[in-house]
Short mmCIF file of all heavy atoms in Angstrom, two decimals:
data_model
loop_
_atom_site.label_atom_id
_atom_site.label_comp_id
_atom_site.label_asym_id
_atom_site.label_seq_id
_atom_site.Cartn_x
_atom_site.Cartn_y
_atom_site.Cartn_z
N PRO A 22 82.90 -23.88 -57.36
CA PRO A 22 82.29 -25.31 -57.31
C PRO A 22 82.71 -26.11 -58.57
O PRO A 22 82.74 -27.22 -58.45
CB PRO A 22 80.80 -25.11 -57.35
CG PRO A 22 80.47 -23.73 -57.97
CD PRO A 22 81.80 -22.91 -57.66
N VAL A 23 83.04 -25.39 -59.66
CA VAL A 23 83.20 -26.23 -60.91
C VAL A 23 84.59 -25.95 -61.59
O VAL A 23 84.76 -26.32 -62.72
CB VAL A 23 82.06 -26.02 -61.98
CG1 VAL A 23 80.77 -26.46 -61.34
CG2 VAL A 23 82.05 -24.54 -62.43
N ALA A 25 85.96 -23.33 -62.74
CA ALA A 25 85.82 -22.43 -63.85
C ALA A 25 87.15 -21.63 -63.97
O ALA A 25 87.88 -21.35 -63.03
CB ALA A 25 84.72 -21.48 -63.75
N ARG A 56 84.45 -31.72 -57.43
CA ARG A 56 83.57 -32.63 -58.08
C ARG A 56 83.88 -32.74 -59.67
O ARG A 56 83.26 -33.57 -60.22
CB ARG A 56 82.18 -32.18 -57.92
CG ARG A 56 81.69 -30.95 -58.50
CD ARG A 56 80.48 -30.41 -57.75
NE ARG A 56 79.59 -29.73 -58.64
CZ ARG A 56 78.88 -28.76 -58.18
NH1 ARG A 56 78.87 -28.35 -56.86
NH2 ARG A 56 78.01 -28.16 -58.97
N ALA A 60 85.21 -26.85 -65.76
CA ALA A 60 83.89 -26.93 -66.54
C ALA A 60 83.77 -25.82 -67.39
O ALA A 60 82.65 -25.55 -67.96
CB ALA A 60 82.77 -27.04 -65.49
N GLY A 61 84.88 -25.05 -67.68
CA GLY A 61 84.71 -24.01 -68.78
C GLY A 61 85.30 -22.71 -68.31
O GLY A 61 85.78 -22.52 -67.11
N ALA A 62 85.31 -21.83 -69.20
CA ALA A 62 85.58 -20.44 -68.84
C ALA A 62 84.64 -19.94 -67.72
O ALA A 62 83.64 -20.48 -67.55
CB ALA A 62 85.40 -19.52 -70.12
N ASP A 63 85.06 -18.89 -67.03
CA ASP A 63 84.19 -18.33 -66.02
C ASP A 63 83.17 -17.42 -66.79
O ASP A 63 83.54 -16.31 -67.22
CB ASP A 63 85.09 -17.55 -64.96
CG ASP A 63 84.21 -17.04 -63.84
OD1 ASP A 63 83.03 -16.88 -64.02
OD2 ASP A 63 84.68 -16.68 -62.84
N ILE A 64 81.99 -17.89 -66.85
CA ILE A 64 80.98 -17.19 -67.56
C ILE A 64 80.71 -15.79 -67.11
O ILE A 64 80.26 -14.83 -67.83
CB ILE A 64 79.65 -18.00 -67.68
CG1 ILE A 64 79.94 -19.46 -68.14
CG2 ILE A 64 78.59 -17.39 -68.58
CD1 ILE A 64 78.78 -20.42 -68.06
N THR A 97 83.17 -33.34 -65.46
CA THR A 97 82.89 -32.91 -66.72
C THR A 97 84.01 -31.96 -67.30
O THR A 97 84.18 -30.91 -66.54
CB THR A 97 81.53 -32.17 -66.78
OG1 THR A 97 81.48 -31.35 -65.59
CG2 THR A 97 80.37 -33.10 -66.80
N LEU A 99 84.49 -29.37 -69.76
CA LEU A 99 83.54 -28.71 -70.68
C LEU A 99 84.19 -27.42 -71.13
O LEU A 99 84.90 -26.73 -70.44
CB LEU A 99 82.21 -28.34 -70.08
CG LEU A 99 81.41 -29.59 -69.55
CD1 LEU A 99 80.04 -29.04 -68.79
CD2 LEU A 99 81.13 -30.49 -70.61
N GLY A 100 83.80 -27.00 -72.35
CA GLY A 100 84.24 -25.72 -72.93
C GLY A 100 85.67 -25.47 -72.81
O GLY A 100 86.46 -26.29 -73.06
N GLY A 101 85.99 -24.32 -72.25
CA GLY A 101 87.48 -23.89 -72.09
C GLY A 101 88.12 -25.05 -71.33
O GLY A 101 89.46 -25.23 -71.48
N GLU A 104 89.09 -27.62 -73.76
CA GLU A 104 90.12 -26.94 -74.65
C GLU A 104 91.50 -26.98 -73.92
O GLU A 104 92.53 -27.17 -74.56
CB GLU A 104 89.71 -25.51 -75.02
CG GLU A 104 88.53 -25.55 -75.97
CD GLU A 104 88.04 -24.10 -76.25
OE1 GLU A 104 87.65 -23.40 -75.24
OE2 GLU A 104 88.04 -23.74 -77.35
N PRO A 123 80.02 -27.20 -74.79
CA PRO A 123 78.70 -26.68 -74.78
C PRO A 123 78.55 -25.23 -75.20
O PRO A 123 77.43 -24.65 -74.98
CB PRO A 123 78.27 -26.91 -73.42
CG PRO A 123 79.57 -26.74 -72.59
CD PRO A 123 80.67 -27.17 -73.49
N GLU A 124 79.48 -24.57 -75.65
CA GLU A 124 79.50 -23.08 -75.86
C GLU A 124 78.19 -22.65 -76.71
O GLU A 124 77.65 -21.55 -76.42
CB GLU A 124 80.72 -22.53 -76.48
CG GLU A 124 81.98 -22.54 -75.65
CD GLU A 124 82.78 -23.81 -75.56
OE1 GLU A 124 82.23 -24.88 -75.98
OE2 GLU A 124 83.89 -23.77 -75.12
N LEU A 127 75.34 -21.19 -75.04
CA LEU A 127 75.56 -19.96 -74.45
C LEU A 127 75.65 -18.92 -75.63
O LEU A 127 76.04 -17.75 -75.50
CB LEU A 127 76.66 -19.86 -73.55
CG LEU A 127 76.74 -20.69 -72.35
CD1 LEU A 127 78.11 -20.75 -71.63
CD2 LEU A 127 75.61 -20.29 -71.37
N PRO A 131 83.49 -22.36 -79.22
CA PRO A 131 84.77 -22.59 -78.37
C PRO A 131 85.86 -21.68 -78.79
O PRO A 131 86.12 -21.62 -80.04
CB PRO A 131 85.15 -24.05 -78.67
CG PRO A 131 83.87 -24.77 -79.27
CD PRO A 131 83.12 -23.64 -80.00
N GLY A 132 86.25 -20.88 -77.93
CA GLY A 132 87.16 -19.78 -78.33
C GLY A 132 88.57 -19.94 -78.02
O GLY A 132 89.37 -19.00 -78.21
N ARG A 254 89.09 -16.93 -83.02
CA ARG A 254 89.04 -15.88 -82.05
C ARG A 254 88.14 -14.71 -82.64
O ARG A 254 87.43 -14.14 -81.74
CB ARG A 254 90.50 -15.30 -81.88
CG ARG A 254 90.91 -14.60 -80.71
CD ARG A 254 90.81 -15.51 -79.44
NE ARG A 254 90.55 -14.66 -78.26
CZ ARG A 254 89.83 -15.08 -77.26
NH1 ARG A 254 89.27 -16.27 -77.18
NH2 ARG A 254 89.58 -14.30 -76.26
N PHE A 273 71.12 -18.98 -68.27
CA PHE A 273 72.05 -19.95 -67.59
C PHE A 273 71.96 -19.68 -66.06
O PHE A 273 71.72 -20.49 -65.34
CB PHE A 273 73.40 -19.88 -68.15
CG PHE A 273 74.39 -20.85 -67.45
CD1 PHE A 273 74.54 -22.19 -67.70
CD2 PHE A 273 75.24 -20.40 -66.31
CE1 PHE A 273 75.41 -22.99 -67.04
CE2 PHE A 273 76.02 -21.27 -65.61
CZ PHE A 273 76.11 -22.51 -66.00
N PHE A 274 72.24 -18.39 -65.75
CA PHE A 274 72.28 -18.07 -64.39
C PHE A 274 70.86 -17.92 -63.79
O PHE A 274 70.67 -18.37 -62.63
CB PHE A 274 73.08 -16.78 -64.09
CG PHE A 274 74.54 -16.90 -64.33
CD1 PHE A 274 75.26 -16.32 -65.33
CD2 PHE A 274 75.29 -17.77 -63.54
CE1 PHE A 274 76.52 -16.50 -65.61
CE2 PHE A 274 76.64 -17.96 -63.75
CZ PHE A 274 77.29 -17.30 -64.76
N ARG A 277 69.57 -21.36 -62.50
CA ARG A 277 70.19 -21.80 -61.28
C ARG A 277 69.63 -20.90 -60.09
O ARG A 277 69.34 -21.44 -58.97
CB ARG A 277 71.67 -21.70 -61.40
CG ARG A 277 72.16 -22.94 -62.15
CD ARG A 277 73.44 -22.71 -62.87
NE ARG A 277 73.84 -23.99 -63.63
CZ ARG A 277 73.34 -24.25 -64.80
NH1 ARG A 277 72.56 -23.51 -65.52
NH2 ARG A 277 73.65 -25.32 -65.41
N LYS A 281 66.48 -21.02 -55.92
CA LYS A 281 66.78 -20.52 -54.53
C LYS A 281 65.66 -19.64 -54.01
O LYS A 281 65.24 -18.70 -54.76
CB LYS A 281 68.10 -19.76 -54.60
CG LYS A 281 69.28 -20.60 -54.96
CD LYS A 281 70.58 -19.92 -55.12
CE LYS A 281 71.56 -20.86 -55.78
NZ LYS A 281 72.54 -20.34 -56.67
N LYS A 463 64.51 -30.86 -58.77
CA LYS A 463 65.86 -31.03 -59.38
C LYS A 463 66.15 -32.45 -59.74
O LYS A 463 66.67 -32.80 -60.73
CB LYS A 463 66.86 -30.39 -58.54
CG LYS A 463 68.26 -30.40 -59.16
CD LYS A 463 69.33 -29.50 -58.58
CE LYS A 463 70.55 -29.45 -59.51
NZ LYS A 463 71.69 -29.01 -58.95
C1 LIG B 801 83.68 -21.38 -72.52
O1 LIG B 801 84.24 -22.20 -71.83
C2 LIG B 801 84.31 -20.54 -73.59
C3 LIG B 801 85.53 -21.00 -74.03
O2 LIG B 801 85.38 -21.78 -75.25
C4 LIG B 801 86.48 -19.85 -74.53
C5 LIG B 801 87.09 -18.95 -73.69
C6 LIG B 801 88.06 -18.05 -74.36
N1 LIG B 801 81.30 -20.07 -64.98
O3 LIG B 801 75.14 -26.04 -62.74
P1 LIG B 801 75.40 -26.08 -61.35
C7 LIG B 801 78.24 -21.97 -61.28
S1 LIG B 801 82.01 -21.08 -72.13
C8 LIG B 801 80.85 -19.59 -63.85
O4 LIG B 801 74.26 -25.91 -60.28
P2 LIG B 801 75.83 -29.01 -61.42
C9 LIG B 801 76.74 -22.01 -61.37
O5 LIG B 801 76.21 -20.81 -61.73
C10 LIG B 801 81.62 -22.18 -70.69
N2 LIG B 801 79.99 -20.12 -62.98
O6 LIG B 801 76.16 -27.53 -60.96
C11 LIG B 801 76.34 -22.44 -59.98
O7 LIG B 801 76.41 -21.36 -59.17
P3 LIG B 801 75.51 -21.09 -57.81
C12 LIG B 801 81.58 -23.56 -71.18
C13 LIG B 801 79.61 -21.44 -63.25
O8 LIG B 801 76.68 -29.85 -60.70
C14 LIG B 801 77.44 -23.38 -59.59
O9 LIG B 801 78.54 -23.18 -60.46
N3 LIG B 801 81.05 -24.27 -70.12
C15 LIG B 801 80.02 -22.00 -64.46
O10 LIG B 801 74.36 -29.17 -61.56
C16 LIG B 801 77.12 -24.86 -59.66
O11 LIG B 801 76.59 -25.05 -61.00
C17 LIG B 801 79.76 -24.46 -69.72
O12 LIG B 801 78.85 -23.94 -70.42
C18 LIG B 801 80.96 -21.44 -65.29
N4 LIG B 801 81.49 -21.88 -66.41
O13 LIG B 801 76.39 -28.95 -62.97
C19 LIG B 801 79.48 -25.31 -68.49
N5 LIG B 801 79.52 -23.27 -64.44
O14 LIG B 801 75.82 -22.29 -57.02
C20 LIG B 801 78.57 -24.73 -67.60
C21 LIG B 801 78.79 -23.44 -63.33
O15 LIG B 801 75.90 -19.76 -57.29
N6 LIG B 801 78.31 -25.41 -66.43
N7 LIG B 801 78.80 -22.27 -62.64
O16 LIG B 801 74.12 -21.20 -58.40
C22 LIG B 801 77.43 -26.50 -66.40
O17 LIG B 801 77.09 -27.05 -67.38
C23 LIG B 801 77.21 -27.10 -64.98
O18 LIG B 801 77.54 -26.10 -64.10
C24 LIG B 801 77.99 -28.38 -64.67
C25 LIG B 801 77.82 -28.75 -63.24
C26 LIG B 801 77.57 -29.53 -65.59
C27 LIG B 801 79.51 -28.18 -64.87
#
Side-chain angles (χ1 to χ4, degrees):
V23 297
R56 67 200 214 214
D63 183 340
I64 305 168
T97 43
L99 298 178
E104 291 176 300
E124 284 87 343
L127 298 170
R254 200 70 205 146
F273 176 86
F274 289 114
R277 283 152 181 85
K281 293 171 190 149
K463 183 162 188 201

